[in-house]
């Protein structure tokens, strides 16, 4: 009987993934593109439901990814070399899960084959986000949804 082959995200470390495998770990939730607040006392990161100005509030995709840095200079590019800093990512994020040696959840597109499951399971904030310009920055703390890290 052939031995069971573990999926690549279990078998490999993040820095062993090829480009296609790396990209496929993203579940498309768009949560990392929400505005965040940092607690200066303990560096915890709190997510708000306020979206980056380039985030589509329904599809949770960046509307101008190739040129995003022209509009959002501090947009963070995730790379395997930064894996030890992934605590700021949402606990559901595929990159964070794999960096912590955990398996992907059942709704992840690599597991269920459905890229919309992340929305149907209400992991993403599709349809529940607020546009960046609609809330004054001093009021962002009224819209916290979870703490990362
Ligand atoms: S939080 Fe992680 S899985 Fe979700 S969009 Fe960002 S990088 Fe992709
Ligand atoms: S610029 Fe695009 S990728 Fe960067 S945080 Fe905003 S929506 Fe996300």
């Amino acid at each position: 009987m052939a031995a069971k082959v573990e999926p690549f995200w279990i078998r490999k470390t993040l820095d062993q993934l090829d480009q296609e495998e790396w990209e496929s770990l993203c579940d498309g939730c768009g949560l990392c593109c929400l505005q965040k607040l940092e607690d200066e006392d303990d560096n915890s990161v709190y997510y708000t439901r306020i979206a980056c100005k380039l985030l589509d509030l329904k599809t949770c995709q960046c509307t101008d990814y190739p040129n995003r840095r022209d509009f959002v200079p501090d947009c963070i590019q995730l790379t395997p070399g930064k894996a030890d800093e992934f605590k700021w990512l949402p606990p559901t994020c595929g990159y964070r899960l794999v960096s912590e040696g955990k398996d992907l959840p059942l709704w992840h597109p690599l597991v269920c084959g459905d890229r919309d499951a992340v929305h149907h399971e209400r992991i993403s904030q599709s349809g529940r986000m607020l546009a960046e310009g609609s809330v004054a920055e001093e009021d962002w703390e009224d819209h916290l949804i979870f703490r990362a890290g």
Side-chain angles (χ1 to χ4, degrees):
M1 198 169 84
K4 182 182 171 225
V5 179
E6 298 282 11
F8 71 82
W9 59 89
I10 301 284
R11 271 186 290 120
K12 297 183 175 183
T13 58
L14 286 178
D15 55 7
Q16 291 173 327
L17 303 181
D18 64 31
Q19 190 63 27
E20 191 180 346
E21 290 168 338
W22 173 263
E23 299 291 340
S24 69
L25 280 185
C26 178
D27 60 38
C29 70
L31 293 177
C32 57
C33 303
L34 293 172
Q35 300 295 351
K36 306 156 200 76
L37 296 173
E38 186 171 359
D39 184 328
E40 288 173 0
D41 290 336
D42 63 3
N43 297 326
S44 343
V45 176
Y46 291 84
Y47 276 67
T48 75
R49 67 173 68 257
I50 300 156
C52 167
K53 60 187 168 195
L54 289 191
L55 194 66
D56 184 294
L57 302 184
K58 184 84 179 146
T59 66
C60 307
Q61 299 292 307
C62 184
T63 53
D64 195 2
Y65 195 77
N67 303 308
R68 67 196 189 285
R69 289 250 166 72
D70 294 345
F71 307 98
V72 185
D74 58 352
C75 175
I76 295 174
Q77 173 96 44
L78 300 182
T79 61
K82 293 184 186 159
D84 56 348
E85 300 168 14
F86 284 176
K87 284 266 182 276
W88 69 269
L89 287 167
T92 52
C93 172
Y95 296 104
R96 178 163 171 189
L97 289 169
V98 174
S99 75
E100 294 174 351
K102 297 175 181 161
D103 202 352
L104 297 176
L106 293 177
W107 46 262
H108 193 285
L110 283 171
V111 179
C112 72
D114 179 0
R115 290 210 63 82
D116 289 330
V118 69
H119 307 307
H120 295 152
E121 294 295 324
R122 293 172 71 83
I123 304 301
S124 80
Q125 289 283 319
S126 173
R128 294 179 284 158
M129 294 180 276
L130 298 169
E132 184 176 308
S134 68
V135 184
E137 204 161 334
E138 60 264 30
D139 295 330
W140 283 7
E141 63 184 351
D142 295 338
H143 300 281
L144 303 183
I145 50 173
F146 63 84
R147 175 186 157 175

